Amino acid sequence: MKRMMALAIAATLAAPAIAQTEKSDSPMAGAFGNTIVSTAPTGVVTMTYIDPDGSYRSIAPGMDSRGRWSVWRGQICYTQTSPGPAAPLCTTGPKKKVNSKWQVYHADGTSTKVTIIPGRDGLPGTNP
């Protein structure tokens, strides 16, 4: 019974986010068809591709992950499903557009630089 209730609550919470992604006024619309480029304090660059269906793919040296995204409490939350499940990571990012630049600050005082560039730069099987 508790499991069914938890699933019902999760479905109820997810439905508005899924429905919202189908609209052109989605808070993530600026990322659709474009590339989110994140540069970690170590210099490692990750390319993330957001799709309106709620899926994403992130590619960095030696890493290729996929999962689902949603907007929750004004943040974008990524939940990795492949290569294995991982806890959600929520960060700033909604309502950005091409050429937006921002930083994500970490507890250790470092920050990751983020921008959205036009097109699907670096995505295998596409032309930038």
Side-chain angles (χ1 to χ4, degrees), residues 108-126:
D108 66 0
T110 62
S111 65
T112 295
K113 295 177 182 176
V114 187
T115 189
I116 300 176
I117 61 173
R120 291 283 171 114
D121 188 35
L123 183 61
T126 64

Side-chain angles (χ1 to χ4, degrees), residues 96-97 99-103 114-116:
K96 304 291 187 197
K97 57 186 177 181
N99 297 322
S100 292
K101 295 179 185 203
W102 67 99
Q103 292 188 45
V114 187
T115 189
I116 300 176

Side-chain angles (χ1 to χ4, degrees), residues 39-109:
T39 305
T42 59
V44 173
V45 175
T46 302
M47 307 287 213
T48 301
Y49 311 96
I50 304 289
D51 288 314
D53 67 357
S55 64
Y56 78 87
R57 181 177 182 188
S58 288
I59 300 173
M63 186 220 39
D64 187 344
S65 67
R66 297 169 191 256
R68 305 292 301 166
W69 66 268
S70 62
V71 177
W72 183 71
R73 293 188 179 180
Q75 294 189 318
I76 180 170
C77 297
Y78 299 94
T79 304
Q80 179 180 302
T81 58
S82 174
L89 168 68
C90 297
T91 185
T92 57
K95 299 184 181 175
K96 304 291 187 197
K97 57 186 177 181
V98 171
N99 297 322
S100 292
K101 295 179 185 203
W102 67 99
Q103 292 188 45
V104 176
Y105 295 93
H106 308 288
D108 66 0

